[in-house]
Amino acid sequence: MARFVLFAKSLCFDADQQVFYPLNSPAQRVALSPLQSAVLRRVLNAQGKLVRNQALHVLFQREPSEIPFADRLTLTIAEINRLAQQAHAPGALVHQVPLIGCVLAEQVDVESFNEVATPAAEAEKPVTVQPEPAVKAVAVKKKSWLWRGVLAGLLLLNVALALIISQEFAPTEHDGMQFKFYGQEAQTQVFINERLSADSFVVQDAMRRFRELKPRLPDGSVPPLLYINRSRIRAFSSAFLCLQPIEQKNNECISWLISNQELPDA
């Protein structure tokens, strides 16, 4: 049996019997019409939230009348409050918001309960509860595998990115590309291959021709870096004019082959 206890357990509204009565005097019952009971039950179930006129209009359509809906709603709410006070309620139950709807009065506290639970309902409880853990377990398992797959994919992606970055920005270190500082020539720093000596013919000849020819970068500027290396062809010495250190990738170096007009003695 659905009942609502109101006003700090001083008034009871029996929704099934459609009556008000004081809790201390259950025999003093005040009857409500079906429409009044339906409106009040809708407002009580809203638990203090506004019930709009559109939701209540459906209840009034069940009992057709020539009186406009707005007037019928006002009269119905007024009659609910009057019957509640007749059952010794300390104040109004429902407040109307003109043109919008109605809401439970601020001083009203509501407690709903079922008086008796049927044995059939109690017997059905284990049946309804049993499938729920299985469904939850499957859902958790699927989510765990999904998250594991996502994490594994992210880890593989990070590893791949790390390998790409290491290959892209790794310095170029191989035989024949290791240089040591030789000296400064005007605005150009000179480096020679670590296997060459400073007084070798290759270095001296390359420096002589650098001073005479004064090579330039493609834009006509003086190269800030000069790297001297031994060429595979004995008649040439190999040099590089660079904007950036030769160890870096994308260093924009250009090769400068210097012809040896005079070969050293064997």
Side-chain angles (χ1 to χ4, degrees), residues 2 4 6 13-16 18 20 32-62 69 73 76-77 80 93-95 100-105 110 112:
F4 297 87
L6 313 172
F13 168 58
D14 191 325
D16 294 334
Q18 299 179 6
F20 285 133
L32 286 75
S33 68
L35 179 59
Q36 295 167 357
S37 181
V39 171
L40 180 58
R41 186 165 188 172
R42 182 66 62 87
V43 174
L44 293 176
N45 286 332
Q47 298 180 353
K49 296 180 181 179
L50 179 69
V51 180
R52 295 190 173 273
N53 289 344
Q54 294 87 336
L56 297 173
H57 189 265
V58 179
L59 302 177
F60 285 83
Q61 287 180 337
R62 299 173 185 175
F69 165 70
L73 179 60
T76 300
I77 294 175
I80 290 173
L93 281 176
V94 183
H95 286 166
I100 298 178
C102 56
V103 66
L104 195 66
V110 182
S112 60

Side-chain angles (χ1 to χ4, degrees), residues 5-247:
V5 179
L6 313 172
F7 291 109
K9 298 184 179 181
S10 65
L11 178 68
C12 181
F13 168 58
D14 191 325
D16 294 334
Q17 299 294 326
Q18 299 179 6
V19 295
F20 285 133
Y21 61 86
L23 283 182
N24 56 358
S25 301
Q28 298 180 6
R29 299 198 168 197
V30 179
L32 286 75
S33 68
L35 179 59
Q36 295 167 357
S37 181
V39 171
L40 180 58
R41 186 165 188 172
R42 182 66 62 87
V43 174
L44 293 176
N45 286 332
Q47 298 180 353
K49 296 180 181 179
L50 179 69
V51 180
R52 295 190 173 273
N53 289 344
Q54 294 87 336
L56 297 173
H57 189 265
V58 179
L59 302 177
F60 285 83
Q61 287 180 337
R62 299 173 185 175
E63 299 181 7
S65 175
E66 297 180 357
I67 303 175
F69 165 70
D71 296 338
R72 294 181 66 193
L73 179 60
T74 302
L75 293 174
T76 300
I77 294 175
E79 187 64 15
I80 290 173
N81 291 331
R82 187 188 68 82
L83 294 174
Q85 292 179 1
Q86 186 176 343
H88 306 289
L93 281 176
V94 183
H95 286 166
Q96 186 177 12
V97 182
L99 303 178
I100 298 178
C102 56
V103 66
L104 195 66
E106 295 180 357
Q107 72 273 18
V108 180
D109 55 346
V110 182
E111 179 181 349
S112 60
F113 66 95
N114 290 328
E115 202 171 43
V116 179
T118 60
E122 294 178 356
E124 291 176 357
K125 286 183 181 179
V127 178
T128 57
V129 172
Q130 285 178 355
E132 290 182 359
V135 173
K136 290 180 180 178
V138 172
V140 170
K141 186 175 181 180
K142 290 182 179 179
K143 288 182 179 179
S144 64
W145 280 110
L146 177 62
W147 281 113
R148 289 178 184 176
V150 172
L151 292 176
L154 291 175
L155 290 176
L156 291 176
L157 180 61
N158 289 336
V159 172
L161 290 175
L163 291 176
I164 293 173
I165 292 173
S166 64
Q167 292 296 326
E168 182 65 23
F169 296 100
T172 56
E173 295 182 0
H174 52 80
D175 189 24
M177 293 297 289
Q178 300 300 312
F179 295 88
K180 58 186 177 181
F181 183 72
Y182 172 78
Q184 183 81 21
E185 186 68 27
Q187 302 177 10
T188 306
Q189 293 184 10
V190 183
F191 297 84
I192 63 175
N193 188 280
E194 62 179 5
R195 296 186 178 182
L196 292 175
S197 61
D199 58 350
S200 65
F201 173 80
V202 173
V203 174
Q204 296 301 319
D205 185 67
M207 290 302 302
R208 179 175 61 83
R209 295 183 186 279
F210 179 78
R211 298 186 186 101
E212 293 175 356
L213 299 176
K214 298 180 179 179
R216 295 289 187 268
L217 294 174
D219 60 358
S221 61
V222 176
L225 301 171
L226 172 64
Y227 294 86
I228 300 174
N229 200 357
R230 179 186 293 111
S231 175
R232 294 181 180 178
I233 302 175
R234 190 177 181 185
F236 293 89
S237 61
S238 178
F240 301 94
L241 307 176
C242 302
L243 277 173
Q244 301 176 7
I246 199 170
E247 295 85 0

